[in-house]
Amino acid sequence: VVFFVIPLLLLGLSSLFMQKTVGFTVLGSFLVIGVVLGIARFIWWWKKQEGLQKCLACLDRRTDMNNTMKTLPEDMQFLKSKVSLLAEHTGLPEDEEAGDAQKGSDGTADDVAAENEEV
């Protein structure tokens, strides 16, 4: 944005004033007024409506999400080990759902419907 849009905007505004016609000069003047009002609104938001705090909070959320995604595989391994310890402690048979799926079902819709009717 900073290295493409702003220079392009300034080049366009300067070319409007270089045309030496009343219509383009008036259009350029309106656009300059719009840019100045936009900058003033941004400064108002940044200073008076806690824009700085909102930006910092957004960056903190993104950093937290990035750290969460980086540590997700380790967290999943930890959780899997805890679940297996809990299953061992309670005497729950391992992979009960996987055992049901391997009993000979080939995964067709009729088999799924028959299994649902049994439940």
Side-chain angles (χ1 to χ4, degrees):
V1 170
V2 174
F3 294 108
F4 184 71
V5 173
I6 293 174
L8 193 62
L9 177 70
L10 294 175
L11 179 65
L13 286 174
S14 68
S15 70
L16 285 175
F17 288 110
M18 297 295 289
Q19 297 293 324
K20 302 288 185 193
T21 60
V22 175
F24 285 123
T25 305
V26 170
L27 179 63
S29 300
F30 281 132
L31 289 176
V32 167
I33 291 170
V35 167
V36 169
L37 288 175
I39 292 170
R41 174 68 176 109
F42 174 77
I43 292 171
W44 175 265
W45 175 79
W46 189 261
K47 298 281 186 179
K48 300 292 183 179
Q49 294 181 330
E50 299 178 356
L52 174 64
Q53 297 301 324
K54 290 177 184 177
C55 285
L56 291 177
C58 178
L59 289 175
D60 287 340
R61 281 192 311 270
R62 289 182 64 156
T63 302
D64 291 342
M65 183 64 74
N66 192 15
N67 290 337
T68 300
M69 290 299 171
K70 283 182 182 177
T71 61
L72 188 61
E74 292 86 20
D75 293 342
M76 289 301 294
Q77 290 300 324
F78 172 74
L79 290 174
K80 284 181 181 179
S81 68
K82 286 294 186 180
V83 167
S84 67
L85 286 175
L86 183 62
E88 210 175 90
H89 177 70
T90 58
L92 184 69
E94 276 192 43
D95 291 336
E96 187 174 290
E97 291 179 5
D100 289 342
Q102 294 176 354
K103 286 184 181 177
S105 172
D106 61 354
T108 62
D110 295 332
D111 293 334
V112 172
E115 287 177 12
N116 287 338
E117 287 176 6
E118 290 175 7
V119 176

